[in-house]
Amino acid sequence: MKKENLKIDSTEIAKLAGVSRSTVSRVLNNHPNVSARNRQKILKIIDEYNYIPNLNAQTLAGKKNSVIGVFIYEPNMRLETTAMDTAYFMDFTDTVVKEAFLENHQILVDYVKDFNDEKRIEAFFKNGNVSSGIFIGFLRDNLFLERMIKSEYRVVVVDYAKEINNMAQKTLYINTDDYGGVSSIMEKILEKNLKRPLIFLGDLNKLSGFERKRAYEDSLKNKKIDIDKNLILKSDYCRENAYSDMVQILKNDIKFDAIFSSSDNMLFGIVKALKEFEVDYQKLEIWGFDNLKYTVPMGFKTVSPMLKETAKKSIKFLVSEFVETRVEYTKTKLIESMIDYFED
């Protein structure tokens, strides 16, 4: 039973939990040096009393907060390689920081991996630590993100949904035109009479992964080309998975005449496998997606998701005087050589 009508502070929480105030502080700051038993007791009390820590004295004093949060979903933070290591997330965040600076706002970057992180980030909003937030990388139907979408806070969600939640109040859904980008790639491949393109899929619980797969399949269907399931690899945006999947394709001597990787990050794993099997990959039609900085200089083709445009739209939405919930898409651009960087 909630006791949110009763006032409570961290000292009282410590007394109720039978721990020191510093232990409560470590739990509130998601510090790992707390026993599971004590953490559970403290979180239970926090939830029971709906306690929100006083994290921003300036906000309580009436000073307007100009901090925008960028919250990136990554449940595998303890693995050696995570999605955060890919240039896509780093490039997006870098661009957002620059655009926010031009609007006299600051950026707080944080990661979300579990329920405790979700509670902490909700506290950021309730306590005024951040004025608004950009959420990126979240899986479909995430309950925490749905709560934020329905809240009174300004929220931008990137690569999440195609349709507006009818209870959304101040939300910008902004997505790359993944379907259009992959359709353009497939048109290039199929016009060369290549009918057995491999596809290395992204995470199908993310809109980008789903849309890129849909465009691949629709392109083949429109040309009345049978879809061979052996050519569809569930690599899940993971470079190591893509490498392993490519190795199996080569070991099993599965015939293919082109390659589309749903991310440039996976493409590097694919090429590693091709090199090990001494395949002359430079003679293959190979495409990636995301336009990472090494892709084209290495001689590969890719799709640029126009991150700068996405960042600009996100920041503009969050700092505007008036906001209206809507869905927007940013364009993609095929990058086949260095010259494409300098053309409109």
Side-chain angles (χ1 to χ4, degrees):
M1 184 178 182
K2 296 280 184 181
K3 301 177 182 179
E4 51 191 29
N5 59 318
L6 300 178
K7 290 186 177 180
I8 193 171
D9 58 20
S10 59
T11 301
E12 188 64 25
I13 291 173
K15 290 179 181 178
L16 292 172
V19 299
S20 67
R21 190 169 178 272
S22 62
T23 300
V24 174
S25 178
R26 286 198 295 273
V27 171
L28 292 174
N29 289 286
N30 204 29
H31 196 283
N33 191 23
V34 180
S35 71
R37 181 171 176 272
N38 283 340
R39 186 182 298 276
Q40 186 175 9
K41 284 197 299 182
I42 292 167
L43 289 174
K44 182 178 180 182
I45 293 168
I46 288 172
D47 183 62
E48 186 177 0
Y49 285 85
N50 197 30
Y51 171 72
I52 298 172
N54 179 8
L55 299 174
N56 194 336
Q58 285 186 328
T59 298
L60 292 179
K63 183 176 180 180
K64 184 178 179 181
N65 195 327
S66 61
V67 178
I68 296 171
V70 176
F71 304 109
I72 306 170
Y73 178 72
E74 177 50 83
N76 301 311
M77 286 298 293
R78 290 183 175 84
L79 296 181
E80 183 177 349
T81 302
T82 70
M84 299 308 97
D85 297 311
T86 65
Y88 175 87
F89 285 95
M90 291 186 286
D91 288 349
F92 177 82
T93 303
D94 179 61
T95 309
V96 166
V97 169
K98 291 176 182 176
E99 292 299 323
F101 175 79
L102 295 175
E103 297 288 348
N104 297 314
H105 279 62
Q106 292 76 48
I107 293 293
L108 167 80
V109 179
D110 207 342
Y111 302 123
V112 183
K113 67 180 183 302
D114 56 28
F115 173 78
N116 294 333
D117 294 331
E118 294 173 356
K119 294 287 287 184
R120 177 169 50 81
I121 288 167
E122 284 186 288
F124 285 170
F125 280 86
K126 291 178 181 178
N127 202 42
N129 293 80
V130 295
S131 61
S132 54
I134 300 172
F135 295 81
I136 183 169
F138 284 75
L139 303 183
R140 184 172 49 200
D141 299 326
N142 182 279
L143 295 179
F144 159 66
L145 186 51
E146 288 296 325
R147 287 199 304 273
M148 298 308 302
I149 288 170
K150 296 173 187 176
S151 73
E152 72 273 21
Y153 306 110
R154 296 187 183 203
V155 171
V156 172
V157 288
V158 181
D159 184 22
Y160 182 68
K162 293 171 62 178
E163 299 171 352
I164 294 176
N165 181 316
N166 58 14
M167 296 183 69
Q169 296 191 49
K170 302 175 182 178
T171 301
L172 171 63
Y173 296 82
I174 186 164
N175 305 305
T176 298
D177 182 16
D178 298 288
Y179 186 92
V182 176
S183 295
S184 296
I185 289 174
M186 291 299 294
E187 183 178 349
K188 293 269 187 181
I189 290 174
L190 296 175
E191 71 182 8
K192 294 182 179 181
N193 203 33
L194 303 173
K195 299 181 179 181
R196 293 187 59 78
L198 285 171
I199 180 172
F200 292 79
L201 299 177
D203 188 337
L204 298 183
N205 284 314
K206 295 182 178 180
L207 180 63
S208 58
F210 177 82
E211 287 293 275
R212 293 173 195 184
K213 177 177 184 286
R214 187 168 73 91
Y216 168 88
E217 293 179 338
D218 285 353
S219 296
L220 292 176
K221 290 176 183 176
N222 291 338
K223 294 291 185 178
K224 300 189 179 344
I225 299 172
D226 292 336
I227 296 173
D228 187 343
K229 293 183 178 180
N230 291 318
L231 301 178
I232 300 176
L233 293 310
K234 298 179 180 180
S235 304
D236 203 30
Y237 283 139
C238 175
R239 185 187 302 190
E240 290 78 12
N241 289 352
Y243 166 78
S244 299
D245 290 337
M246 189 72 249
V247 167
Q248 289 305 310
I249 288 288
L250 296 169
K251 282 184 175 179
N252 295 331
D253 197 27
I254 295 174
K255 303 302 180 185
F256 63 93
D257 51 20
I259 296 174
F260 167 61
S261 171
S262 291
S263 75
D264 287 353
N265 185 51
M266 290 194 297
L267 182 59
F268 301 144
I270 294 165
V271 171
K272 178 184 176 183
L274 292 171
K275 286 182 177 179
E276 290 179 359
F277 280 76
E278 299 182 345
V279 175
D280 189 356
Y281 59 87
Q282 293 182 335
K283 292 183 178 179
L284 285 170
E285 183 77 6
I286 301 179
W287 285 85
F289 201 115
D290 287 338
N291 189 28
L292 301 189
K293 61 182 179 180
Y294 297 119
T295 306
V296 173
M298 289 175 63
F300 303 114
K301 302 172 185 177
T302 187
V303 181
S304 173
M306 312 298 278
L307 290 179
K308 189 172 183 178
E309 184 181 349
T310 300
K312 282 184 175 181
K313 288 183 177 181
S314 298
I315 297 300
K316 184 177 180 180
F317 177 86
L318 294 177
V319 303
S320 296
E321 184 175 355
F322 301 104
V323 296
E324 179 183 358
T325 293
R326 61 184 185 271
V327 178
E328 289 194 13
Y329 287 86
T330 54
K331 298 176 182 178
T332 58
K333 179 180 179 179
L334 299 189
I335 307 294
E336 300 187 62
S337 66
M338 293 298 293
I339 195 65
D340 292 322
Y341 288 110
F342 306 103
E343 294 180 348
D344 292 334

